[in-house]
Amino acid sequence: MIKITLPDGSIREYASGVTPMDVAKSISEGLARNVISASFNGTTVETETQLTTDGNLTLYTWDAAEGKKAFWHSTSHVMAQALEELFPGIKLTIGPAIERGFYYDVDFGDKKITDADFKKVEDRVLEIAREKHEFKMRSATKAEALELYKDNEFKTELIQNLEDGTITFCDHSTFTDLCRGGHIPNTGIIKAMKILSVAGAYWRGDEKNKQLTRVYGISFPKQKELTEYLELLEEAKRRDHRKLGKELELFHFSQRVGQGLPLWLPKGAALRDRLEQFLKKAQKKAGYEQVVTPHIGQKELYVTSGHYAKYGADSFQPIHTPAEGEEFLLKPMNCPHHCEIYNARPWSYKDLPKRYAEFGTVYRYEQSGELHGLTRVRGFTQDDAHIFCTPDQLDLEFKKVIDLVLYVFGSLGFENFTAQVSLRDKENRDKYIGSDENWEKAENAIINAAKDKGLNYVIEYGEAAFYGPKLDFMVKDALGRSWQLGTIQVDYNLPERFDLNYKGSDNELHRPVMIHRAPFGSMERFIAILLEHTGGNFPLWLMPEQAIILSLSEKYENYAKKVSELLENDEIRALIDNRNETIGKKIREAEVQKYPFMLIVGEEEEKNGTVSVRRHGQEGKGNITIKIEEFAALVKEEVSKSLKSFDV
Ligand SMILES: [Zn+2]
Ligand SMILES: [Zn+2]
């Protein structure tokens, strides 16, 4: 008999050879119907894998992330089968599940797959699915595997990197694939499948290698779920930050300036500036001091920090000067510069913590294929800050940073978020630098802070960096997509490398602890996420222009100016559209630009000192005519609802 421990801690005994599906059946028939994947002692197994030792078993249904992964990975096998049937002679490479759906990278040779082919592939996938083929794993020798794939140089390369005795195949229907496992019981539960797109992808992500075709797909156990998903995708397209950035005239990319180097247009720059001012104001209250550092630094600086070892070879290469042997790097991180600011004078424990903040622009090389709008760029500005404190101050500092991050999320309408606490690997504590005592302190500080602030958090062991534990925030946007924002990271490494110290109450020198933190992450990525989250309808306080004054004709230019001036006195940002165009056209254009308020002014309004207020996106419903002061009061009230002041 073997002992199987379930996630709730209960232990059940079974005969050796029991499968996860048998265990599910022994619990309930309903569970057995819904179980599609399992893991045993932390490793993914098939629902039919025979278990022969004691261990921890987790059963997954479609609702679990692991269940979806198995579902999508299994569908990628079926899609590969359909592709092979419909495009004979193609070469399959790899086909993993991804966050949403799956892909298969295929060498189509002289053939080509286009949108027109998608439907017949999908139909064939569903046909195979309906035949309810089981996924069956089997072992193969290296020689057998190489023989099977003798005409496929990609799979051959994969097999050559595997050890004999560890190679497995997965069979279903007439199809066999090299695979490590993790499948649903049979194809029958795949009820809906769609090919989403095709794109170029280099073999193993290396642009020196052959370009393959990546076929992206998704599948669901219910047709309804696919329909809903496709609707969501349509909405995501409408909200694509690259599209909105162009429509709202926020940013631009110029091939002449270079790929991945965004140019901020006046409206986008105003938006950025407003975000910066917002955070600077809160940071000032929280005791941060603003610093400024150059965009380049001597190579030695980054050798000292260790960033050269990390970014050197794979990033921008050193800049040489006319002087012999001088080498500078574009800065990939602001931290080394801030360490040198700390080192500018000696400190006593009474002076700490020091909190240095900078909107610092950094540069990292990304392959051109990896670039994506503002979310993957080659130069970006971090809302960076480094806190230098004593180990005993960590607890309070961490809580303060969390307060700041929560303030940022709250003011920008991100209400749905979770946190991940990344700690050391319990089994392998040697790979981390810093004393055990300090790690203990830092880990407890983070957990206490997360608890104290009522965060919805999970603890991940082994996810800490070698130099310190961290806390990451994941936000869900309006379309239900998760984004990682706001990292708070403890660091024992850089204080060591830069020989930072302070004089303690014992008159001895001690190492400070360093905290890296960036609530936005980078301005570029944050604005992209904010654009997609809000669809361009930013919170009113952040809008570059909160209102546009539309005159009924040029006759009312002076009155329009008067309205604008009065609003300006109340710090309300308004533009005037005084063109000789019809009011209908002016409204349509203002709608596209998403001005929250359109203020229509004509003879009546001028006579009475009023504005006719129309709200964005409401098609004229609820239009009201009110005094200018009343409108100003309305805007102020709405702003104060989302933008509270930051209290420390
Ligand atoms: Zn597989
Ligand atoms: Zn840093």
Side-chain angles (χ1 to χ4, degrees):
M1 298 297 271
I2 55 168
K3 286 195 180 72
I4 301 291
T5 309
L6 296 165
D8 65 0
S10 64
I11 298 170
R12 288 168 174 250
E13 285 204 7
Y14 297 92
S16 179
V18 68
T19 69
M21 191 53 89
D22 295 334
V23 175
K25 278 181 189 149
S26 77
I27 297 170
S28 85
E29 276 300 324
L31 179 63
R33 265 196 303 281
N34 288 311
V35 163
I36 58 174
S37 170
S39 75
F40 189 61
N41 291 333
T43 310
T44 304
V45 291
E46 307 292 298
T47 53
E48 291 304 325
T49 300
Q50 298 200 326
L51 310 177
T52 53
T53 61
D54 293 352
N56 296 304
L57 178 70
T58 311
L59 301 167
Y60 301 111
T61 63
W62 164 255
D63 293 329
E66 286 298 320
K68 287 187 175 70
K69 193 175 161 196
F71 194 90
W72 286 330
H73 167 74
S74 305
T75 315
S76 91
H77 280 286
V78 183
M79 182 178 78
Q81 179 187 6
L83 287 171
E84 237 180 23
E85 288 175 12
L86 295 164
F87 301 88
I90 59 170
K91 289 174 187 169
L92 298 170
T93 69
I94 54 163
I98 51 179
E99 202 194 339
R100 300 224 164 173
F102 55 90
Y103 66 77
Y104 216 113
D105 281 349
V106 181
D107 179 6
F108 276 87
D110 53 2
K111 297 192 172 71
K112 199 173 165 15
I113 183 167
T114 69
D115 298 16
D117 302 307
F118 293 180
K119 178 80 171 56
K120 61 182 179 207
V121 180
E122 292 157 11
D123 287 348
R124 181 64 191 131
V125 167
L126 292 178
E127 211 170 76
I128 299 166
R130 278 193 295 272
E131 289 162 10
K132 274 196 179 182
H133 299 286
E134 285 178 11
F135 290 97
K136 288 199 167 133
M137 296 294 296
R138 73 180 146 99
S139 302
T141 63
K142 199 164 185 166
E144 278 172 306
L146 287 170
E147 173 60 24
L148 182 70
Y149 288 112
K150 62 178 185 293
D151 298 325
N152 183 329
E153 63 271 32
F154 309 102
K155 295 276 193 197
T156 299
E157 188 180 320
L158 295 177
I159 294 161
Q160 269 155 357
N161 290 323
L162 295 174
E163 255 174 65
D164 207 350
T166 66
I167 300 171
T168 48
F169 284 143
C170 174
D171 301 317
H172 80 271
S173 176
T174 58
F175 183 78
T176 295
D177 206 345
L178 179 70
C179 183
R180 274 188 305 238
H183 306 96
I184 54 179
N186 68 69
T187 61
I189 53 179
I190 303 167
K191 302 287 190 200
M193 184 266 171
K194 188 105 188 133
I195 295 184
L196 298 173
S197 62
V198 291
Y202 294 103
W203 169 235
R204 302 208 137 175
D206 187 339
E207 53 193 314
K208 285 181 218 97
N209 287 342
K210 184 156 189 185
Q211 192 169 27
L212 307 168
T213 302
R214 180 164 295 180
V215 185
Y216 286 98
I218 196 153
S219 57
F220 293 92
K222 287 194 184 111
Q223 178 61 40
K224 184 167 155 269
E225 288 184 62
L226 174 62
T227 311
E228 283 169 4
Y229 180 73
L230 294 177
E231 276 164 16
L232 211 61
L233 271 192
E234 276 310 305
E235 182 56 28
K237 262 187 211 156
R238 282 191 285 275
R239 289 178 181 223
D240 188 320
H241 74 275
R242 294 167 299 177
K243 177 173 166 281
L244 286 175
K246 198 175 269 176
E247 285 168 9
L248 301 177
E249 298 172 17
L250 298 178
F251 55 87
H252 173 68
F253 286 94
S254 148
Q255 289 301 320
R256 204 168 272 161
V257 171
Q259 285 184 318
L261 299 169
L263 299 172
W264 289 88
L265 305 177
K267 283 185 184 183
L271 176 75
R272 252 179 90 126
D273 187 51
R274 204 157 293 288
L275 276 172
E276 288 191 13
Q277 294 308 329
F278 153 76
L279 188 58
K280 274 184 185 166
K281 202 169 149 190
Q283 283 180 167
K284 194 169 176 207
K285 276 192 175 173
Y288 288 77
E289 297 170 288
Q290 211 60 34
V291 296
V292 177
T293 65
H295 288 236
I296 64 173
Q298 281 205 92
K299 183 178 158 188
E300 270 315 299
L301 177 70
Y302 305 105
V303 171
T304 304
S305 69
H307 291 118
Y308 186 73
K310 185 166 177 216
Y311 294 105
D314 295 326
S315 197
F316 292 109
Q317 293 307 294
I319 302 163
H320 296 269
T321 69
E324 192 75 22
E326 254 189 351
E327 283 187 306
F328 292 87
L329 281 180
L330 285 168
K331 73 172 164 189
M333 293 279 229
N334 302 301
C335 342
H337 289 77
H338 291 190
C339 286
E340 284 304 290
I341 287 180
Y342 179 90
N343 260 342
R345 52 155 282 189
W347 299 104
S348 138
Y349 70 100
K350 290 181 216 146
D351 303 316
L352 301 185
K354 296 306 293 178
R355 309 178 188 93
Y356 296 133
E358 177 179 21
F359 285 86
T361 305
V362 297
Y363 301 89
R364 294 177 203 166
Y365 176 75
E366 300 275 358
Q367 289 184 9
S368 58
E370 302 286 320
L371 297 172
H372 180 85
L374 291 181
T375 54
R376 281 295 273 281
V377 286
R378 287 174 172 171
F380 54 92
T381 304
Q382 294 177 313
D383 57 323
D384 216 353
H386 296 97
I387 300 168
F388 302 90
C389 64
T390 70
D392 291 330
Q393 289 168 334
L394 252 189
D395 207 69
L396 186 59
E397 284 309 304
F398 227 88
K399 283 180 187 155
K400 285 184 175 177
V401 178
I402 293 177
D403 281 338
L404 188 68
V405 172
L406 297 186
Y407 172 67
V408 168
F409 290 175
S411 305
L412 289 156
F414 289 108
E415 279 138 20
N416 198 343
F417 56 83
T418 53
Q420 177 179 317
V421 177
S422 300
L423 306 180
R424 280 174 299 178
D425 186 343
K426 284 186 202 161
E427 314 293 317
N428 189 1
R429 293 200 161 164
D430 298 341
K431 62 179 181 182
Y432 304 96
I433 81 146
S435 72
D436 213 40
E437 187 197 344
N438 277 341
W439 268 86
E440 203 96 328
K441 244 181 211 166
E443 292 184 334
N444 287 333
I446 297 180
I447 296 169
N448 283 340
K451 260 193 211 145
D452 200 59
K453 297 295 166 191
L455 298 182
N456 173 11
Y457 68 97
V458 290
I459 293 180
E460 293 288 349
Y461 291 94
E463 287 293 306
F466 77 93
Y467 53 83
K470 63 176 177 165
L471 178 70
D472 290 312
F473 286 90
M474 303 288 298
V475 300
K476 262 217 167 101
D477 73 7
L479 301 184
R481 298 168 302 183
S482 290
W483 301 89
Q484 196 207 307
L485 283 181
T487 295
I488 317 174
Q489 167 99 53
V490 178
D491 187 348
Y492 293 111
N493 180 39
L494 287 185
E496 217 42 71
R497 284 175 170 262
F498 280 89
D499 194 20
L500 308 183
N501 54 53
Y502 66 90
K503 196 171 265 174
S505 55
D506 56 2
N507 251 333
E508 299 283 320
L509 288 181
H510 298 271
R511 285 262 181 264
V513 188
M514 194 171 168
I515 301 175
H516 310 252
R517 43 106 284 180
F520 293 145
S522 90
M523 299 306 286
E524 284 72 12
R525 189 164 166 277
F526 187 78
I527 289 174
I529 295 167
L530 195 58
L531 266 168
E532 302 201 357
H533 177 54
T534 61
N537 298 304
F538 299 119
L540 190 55
W541 67 265
L542 184 61
M543 276 295 195
E545 271 96 22
Q546 293 158 317
I548 185 161
I549 304 160
L550 311 175
S551 60
L552 278 173
S553 88
E554 287 165 316
K555 266 198 298 187
Y556 307 106
E557 180 172 7
N558 283 335
Y559 182 60
K561 274 190 189 146
K562 187 184 156 197
V563 173
S564 153
E565 277 161 21
L566 284 175
L567 293 179
E568 208 179 301
N569 289 342
D570 272 320
E571 292 182 4
I572 294 167
R573 302 179 291 278
L575 269 187
I576 301 174
D577 182 354
N578 199 42
R579 292 172 304 158
N580 193 16
E581 295 284 356
T582 65
I583 194 71
K585 183 167 186 207
K586 287 184 182 181
I587 290 174
R588 277 195 302 280
E589 290 182 10
E591 283 285 354
V592 172
Q593 290 292 315
K594 300 181 192 282
Y595 298 106
F597 294 101
M598 288 160 265
L599 307 178
I600 299 155
V601 296
E603 195 180 336
E604 276 298 300
E605 286 79 9
E606 177 158 18
K607 204 171 75 196
N608 300 325
T610 56
V611 287
S612 190
V613 184
R614 187 185 159 110
R615 290 212 73 150
H616 167 72
Q618 302 199 346
E619 294 161 357
K621 272 179 279 176
N623 284 8
I624 43 168
T625 302
I626 49 176
K627 296 267 182 206
I628 303 170
E629 308 80 68
E630 288 176 290
F631 172 71
L634 184 131
V635 172
K636 279 188 172 171
E637 197 198 314
E638 211 162 294
V639 164
S640 70
K641 259 189 233 160
S642 64
L643 185 61
K644 311 242 177 336
S645 71
F646 180 62
D647 300 316
V648 279

